């Protein structure tokens, strides 16, 4: 099969021919139909996240959907031809703990795949695995958002747009902070009530919760200042490694500041349920598999709207 290999940090991906994976007990081989690109892929290439990988070379790509091509021994409730998505879970994470989806085929634990409803496209399913469940976990899980609350979304990239839509579907009144005005119309179409350039402009709204999908330090500090007394600030984005926050406001307003590292068990199924019901569609741009290296460079430069997904064929 053909695949993209990450050889080492600060080295370009290499297109290679390698052996097809063979399923062992409890495993399946998936013919990849779509593989999403993520900022963590940038981190693997520039060395920021490379030490987290179990081996080199490795096939990146952790947002994977496709069709089951082969079953290993002891696999039940799945069949060749099933449309599936590979979950990032304790059963394994393609592109992180093992070879991933930037290839014709991907090996996965049978316990880590979820069948897809026919109305969910492979591209949407791929984005659900990371952008979808990370945003859902931050807004609905760690953020504990309730219907009728007022929420602020900081950063309207792929994660932020998804989080905003999830909050709208949950019955919240949603506001956002995003300096790129070209994204505002898309956010409004997804139900965002009002958009500002700076998170501090959210302060007069007395929001119950602010979810920071940007994480540039100033956004974190601004969220602490802008949220209402006893409000919640959820930190998702990692635009910088460290941040200085106004501790006086944190203390005297009794703000709750929590981190959200990503999805948790059940989040992916919840996202797929919203997609199947027609309530959530993650904004995507599809590319070919040959275009993956160039697309990662676009991610690095910020030249994207929504999520990038490589499709076969």
């Amino acid at each position: 099969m053909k695949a993209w290999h990450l050889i080492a940090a600060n080295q370009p991906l290499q297109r290679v021919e390698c052996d097809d994976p063979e399923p062992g007990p409890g495993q399946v081989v998936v013919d990849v139909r779509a593989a999403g690109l993520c900022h963590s892929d940038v981190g693997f290439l520039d060395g920021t996240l490379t030490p987290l990988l179990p081996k080199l070379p490795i096939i990146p790509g952790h947002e994977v959907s496709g069709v089951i091509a082969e079953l290993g021994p002891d696999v039940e409730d799945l069949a060749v031809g099933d449309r599936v998505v590979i979950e990032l879970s304790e059963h394994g994470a393609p592109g992180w703990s093992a070879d991933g989806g930037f290839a014709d085929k991907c090996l996965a634990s049978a316990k880590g795949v979820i069948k897809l409803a026919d109305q969910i496209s492979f591209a949407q399913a791929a984005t659900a695995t990371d952008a979808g469940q990370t945003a859902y976990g931050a807004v609905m899980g760690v953020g504990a958002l309730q219907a009728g609350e007022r929420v602020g979304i900081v950063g309207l990239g792929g994660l932020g747009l998804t989080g905003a839509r999830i909050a709208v579907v949950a019955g919240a009144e949603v506001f956002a902070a995003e300096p790129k005005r070209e994204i505002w119309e898309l956010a409004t179409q997804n139900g965002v009530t009002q958009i500002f350039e700076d998170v501090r402009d959210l302060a007069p709204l007395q929001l119950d919760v602010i979810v920071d999908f940007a994480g540039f330090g100033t956004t974190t500090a601004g969220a602490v200042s802008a949220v209402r007394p006893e409000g919640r600030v959820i930190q998702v984005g990692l635009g910088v490694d460290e941040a200085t926050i106004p501790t006086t406001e944190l203390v005297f307003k009794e703000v709750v500041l929590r981190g959200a590292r990503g999805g948790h068990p059940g989040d992916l199924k919840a996202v797929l349920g919203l997609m199947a019901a027609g309530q959530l569609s993650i904004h995507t741009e599809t590319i070919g598999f040959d275009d993956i290296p160039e697309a990662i460079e676009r991610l690095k430069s910020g030249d994207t709207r929504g999520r990038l997904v490589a499709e076969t064929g």
Side-chain angles (χ1 to χ4, degrees):
M1 69 175 184
K2 291 184 177 180
W4 285 106
H5 262 178
L6 173 64
I7 305 299
N10 299 304
Q11 296 292 323
L13 293 178
Q14 294 187 13
R15 195 71 156 140
V16 299
E17 290 278 354
C18 54
D19 294 336
D20 289 358
E22 297 184 3
Q27 294 181 320
V28 299
V29 173
V30 176
D31 280 337
V32 178
R33 294 289 184 265
L37 281 68
C38 178
H39 275 281
S40 59
D41 296 317
V42 176
F44 293 146
L45 280 166
D46 68 16
T48 306
L49 298 177
T50 314
L52 300 179
L53 296 173
K55 65 171 185 172
L56 288 174
I58 192 171
I59 302 171
H62 56 273
E63 304 180 9
V64 189
S65 64
V67 176
I68 291 182
E70 192 174 354
L71 304 174
D74 305 322
V75 174
E76 299 178 354
D77 301 322
L78 293 170
V80 171
D82 282 347
R83 303 172 74 251
V84 297
V85 63
I86 303 177
E87 186 175 20
L88 305 176
S89 69
E90 69 274 12
H91 303 296
W96 279 87
S97 61
D99 285 330
F102 291 173
D104 294 332
K105 298 176 182 291
C106 185
L107 185 67
S109 167
K111 294 182 179 180
V113 301
I114 298 175
K115 293 182 184 180
L116 292 178
D118 290 340
Q119 60 266 44
I120 302 176
S121 71
F122 289 118
Q124 284 293 299
T127 61
T129 63
D130 192 353
Q133 71 169 3
T134 297
Y136 188 94
V139 173
M140 302 304 299
V142 178
L145 186 68
Q146 301 295 315
E149 288 192 312
R150 293 157 62 84
V151 61
I153 301 293
V154 182
L156 291 174
L159 284 174
L161 280 169
T162 304
R165 180 58 188 170
I166 289 169
V168 169
V169 172
E173 186 177 13
V174 182
F175 301 85
E178 170 56 61
K180 296 180 180 178
R181 285 181 170 264
E182 61 268 24
I183 302 176
W184 288 18
E185 182 179 354
L186 180 59
T188 301
Q189 292 170 358
N190 278 276
V192 177
T193 299
Q194 192 173 5
I195 307 164
F196 302 87
E197 289 189 355
D198 193 293
V199 60
R200 290 169 294 187
D201 295 333
L202 298 172
L205 301 173
Q206 291 290 286
L207 300 177
D208 300 293
V209 56
I210 297 178
V211 186
D212 183 5
F213 286 101
F216 286 107
T218 53
T219 55
T220 310
V224 171
S225 295
V227 77
R228 67 165 173 80
E230 299 183 14
R232 312 183 301 278
V233 173
I234 311 303
Q235 186 65 44
V236 185
L238 292 172
V240 296
D241 293 333
E242 297 180 354
T244 299
I245 62 172
T247 52
T248 299
E249 290 184 278
L250 181 75
V251 171
F252 283 95
K253 289 171 58 178
E254 295 187 321
V255 172
V256 175
L257 174 60
R258 290 193 61 186
R261 61 175 173 80
H264 296 82
D267 288 347
L268 179 55
K269 287 185 177 181
V271 172
L272 294 173
L274 294 177
M275 287 179 167
Q279 295 178 304
L280 174 65
S281 178
I282 297 176
H283 186 72
T284 61
E285 176 186 342
T286 57
I287 61 170
F289 263 69
D290 289 341
D291 302 321
I292 286 175
E294 178 185 353
I296 291 176
E297 289 301 312
R298 288 179 56 197
L299 276 179
K300 187 176 181 179
S301 66
D303 180 27
T304 59
R305 291 178 62 189
R307 304 293 286 190
L308 295 173
V309 182
E311 291 186 319
T312 59

